[in-house]
Amino acid sequence: MNARPKKSFGQHFLHEKRYIERIVSAISPRADDFVVEIGPGEGALTLPLLAAAGKLTAIELDTDLIPDLKARAASVGELSVIHSDVLKVDFTALAHRHGVERLRIAGNLPYYISSPILFHCVEHAHAIQDMHFMLQKEVVDRMAAEPGSKVYGRLSVMLQLVCRVEPLFVVPPGAFRPPPKVDSAVVRMTPLGADQLPDADPARIHTIVKAAFAQRRKTLGNALKNVMDAQAIMAADVDPKARAETLSPQDYVRLARVAAE
Ligand code: SAM
């Protein structure tokens, strides 16, 4: 088909077979999986995923792509398309509606809203088995960064507190039509079990992490002064002279617990 890719929808269609195969093999869909694809586009991933899983639910915002996608999928498996902005799709309700415990989510994401999509998905982490996403490599680096790294920040802490984040492989611009300006990478995110989740209010963790990284050159004592004082920071076993990027995700959980006292 070869529709003209729309910049406003972040359309960069994958065409290199070996990368399509590597992504599908990383996902390894099985016949009883409930696979949800975000942004199927022209179906580069949809059709092989559908062939392996037998059925698939795809969420696509661009109406123009849907009829052709459905026509091509008809002989491959049972494709259901939700025409919507993915940020408006309630994944928990979708799983309930289909009587499944956990969804497997995948997608070569539209880069203009990649962070909002990641945060939207982790809000529904309890209804998700795993996620495989193509993103800008720079975003994957930030997601998986460890304390002390230059790119460790809010995204790293907030995602690592609820998911295991595994960068899988890099995909060069030439694998897409049109080529994006930057390298891309595929990442796997696996939601943690209930017993591994932070034992503190998520909203409070978010407030603290946001304040800490908003002024990452300042000491924590300074950056958090509107949220908690130096004594409270010390009570969480954290040095108020430390900087945001040196704290582990668990340090932030302890700060949130003390701030709630
Ligand atoms: N999966 C295809 C591929 O790999 O060739 C297309 C990937 S392209 C990078 C991103 C896709 O997401 C496009 O099909 C685009 O129309 C769709 N999209 C953009 N914004 C969206 C949104 N808010 N909700 C759902 N889909 C969206």
Side-chain angles (χ1 to χ4, degrees):
M1 102 170 137
N2 285 344
R4 196 193 171 116
K6 296 179 187 138
K7 219 175 161 180
S8 59
F9 286 121
Q11 292 177 352
H12 293 278
F13 299 122
L14 249 180
H15 67 79
E16 263 202 47
K17 208 168 162 226
R18 67 187 155 133
Y19 290 110
I20 295 170
E21 284 171 358
R22 278 182 85 177
I23 295 170
V24 174
S25 134
I27 301 170
S28 284
R30 282 186 305 261
D32 51 354
D33 289 342
F34 193 101
V35 182
V36 177
E37 186 190 1
I38 300 173
E42 296 182 331
L45 296 172
T46 323
L47 301 179
L49 288 173
L50 187 58
K55 57 183 175 359
L56 184 141
T57 296
I59 303 165
E60 176 58 64
L61 184 58
D62 184 357
T63 338
D64 294 349
L65 296 173
I66 298 176
D68 209 48
L69 182 68
K70 283 186 170 167
R72 294 168 73 218
S75 58
V76 183
E78 207 182 302
L79 174 70
S80 146
V81 182
I82 301 175
H83 173 221
S84 168
D85 172 358
V86 61
L87 299 179
K88 297 195 176 129
V89 175
D90 179 336
F91 288 117
T92 309
L94 179 68
H96 284 169
R97 215 162 43 240
H98 290 272
V100 289
E101 238 173 77
R102 284 171 193 267
L103 311 172
R104 300 197 69 197
I105 303 190
N108 169 15
L109 298 186
Y111 294 170
Y112 73 104
I113 45 163
S114 53
S115 292
I117 295 177
L118 294 173
F119 283 115
H120 178 65
C121 289
V122 298
E123 265 178 45
H124 295 273
H126 51 273
I128 298 174
Q129 180 182 324
D130 56 20
M131 295 162 261
H132 290 81
F133 292 138
M134 173 95 76
L135 293 153
Q136 302 99 308
K137 179 180 177 295
E138 169 264 325
V139 174
V140 172
D141 290 343
R142 287 198 278 125
M143 292 164 69
E146 294 188 359
S149 145
K150 264 197 191 138
V151 294
Y152 179 71
R154 195 173 136 204
L155 191 67
S156 336
V157 176
M158 296 311 292
L159 296 184
Q160 291 173 27
L161 279 174
V162 286
C163 291
R164 183 152 55 92
V165 178
E166 288 170 82
L168 298 181
F169 52 88
V170 174
V171 181
F176 303 84
R177 181 181 63 84
K181 291 198 175 74
V182 291
D183 272 341
S184 301
V186 176
V187 64
R188 176 185 292 135
M189 293 163 69
T190 313
L192 302 177
D195 54 337
Q196 296 166 287
L197 288 175
D199 143 30
D201 174 22
R204 199 176 301 272
I205 300 177
H206 186 241
T207 306
I208 291 176
V209 173
K210 199 171 159 194
F213 284 102
Q215 313 189 48
R216 58 190 293 153
R217 288 208 176 80
K218 290 196 173 172
T219 63
L220 279 170
N222 253 324
L224 297 184
K225 69 173 184 286
N226 294 329
V227 190
M228 58 201 296
D229 61 22
Q231 230 174 355
I233 296 176
M234 282 190 288
D237 221 4
V238 172
D239 180 357
K241 292 205 193 70
R243 283 168 216 281
E245 68 257 32
T246 62
L247 267 59
S248 71
Q250 284 312 321
D251 289 331
Y252 284 104
V253 174
R254 283 202 314 282
L255 286 170
R257 275 209 302 267
V258 171
E261 283 167 5

